[in-house]
Amino acid sequence: MSTVTLYRPVGEAELALISRLDWSAFPPRLPEQPIFYPVMNEGYAEQIARDWNSLHEPAKVGHVLAFDLPIAVTDRWPVQVAGGRAHEELWVPAEALDDFNAMIVGPIRLVSTWREGARVEEAQ
């Protein structure tokens, strides 16, 4: 099966919920969040985690997660461009998130962490 890697910038609260789901699914959207939008490239996810989550979230921390899905996911939810060409996202309706989660291949992975606009180096 051919897969595509997608990325999701998250704050501390969403990261904790994903951890409670054993790194296998994303939590339901809140009522004011009608769309779940993973992004198509790591650079865009880092930009959001660095420039938004790590500066505006209460804990001043943002994370980038990576996960794999069958390539056909982009047939079901076409790629949307939000701004410039590098800002590609999938717009998954909140009510379709269970279907989306069922398509995840393997675990969701933590790629990077950002605190107050700076990348946090992982402990060796």
Side-chain angles (χ1 to χ4, degrees):
M1 166 181 29
S2 294
T3 61
V4 60
T5 300
L6 300 180
Y7 301 88
R8 174 80 180 155
V10 299
E12 285 291 288
E14 190 170 352
L15 184 72
L17 293 171
I18 293 164
S19 177
R20 284 188 216 129
L21 294 168
D22 294 324
W23 300 91
S24 63
F26 292 94
R29 302 291 81 204
L30 299 173
E32 66 272 12
Q33 298 171 321
I35 297 172
F36 174 73
Y37 62 96
V39 303
M40 302 302 294
N41 67 74
E42 188 174 351
Y44 181 31
E46 286 181 347
Q47 180 183 9
I48 296 167
R50 180 190 67 232
D51 297 347
W52 179 256
N53 297 94
S54 78
L55 300 176
H56 299 285
E57 289 280 326
K60 301 293 187 201
V61 175
H63 305 281
V64 175
L65 305 176
F67 56 100
D68 301 315
L69 291 149
I71 193 78
V73 72
T74 58
D75 293 334
R76 183 158 181 194
W77 298 289
V79 175
Q80 307 291 322
V81 177
R85 182 77 181 135
H87 299 150
E88 294 181 328
E89 309 171 343
L90 286 187
W91 290 358
V92 180
E95 61 272 11
L97 188 56
D98 286 343
D99 293 339
F100 182 89
N101 282 333
M103 296 174 74
I104 296 173
V105 177
I108 298 168
R109 305 172 302 280
L110 177 63
V111 175
S112 63
T113 297
W114 300 81
R115 183 175 309 278
E116 297 182 342
R119 187 177 184 131
V120 176
E121 296 302 320
E122 299 298 320
Q124 298 295 331

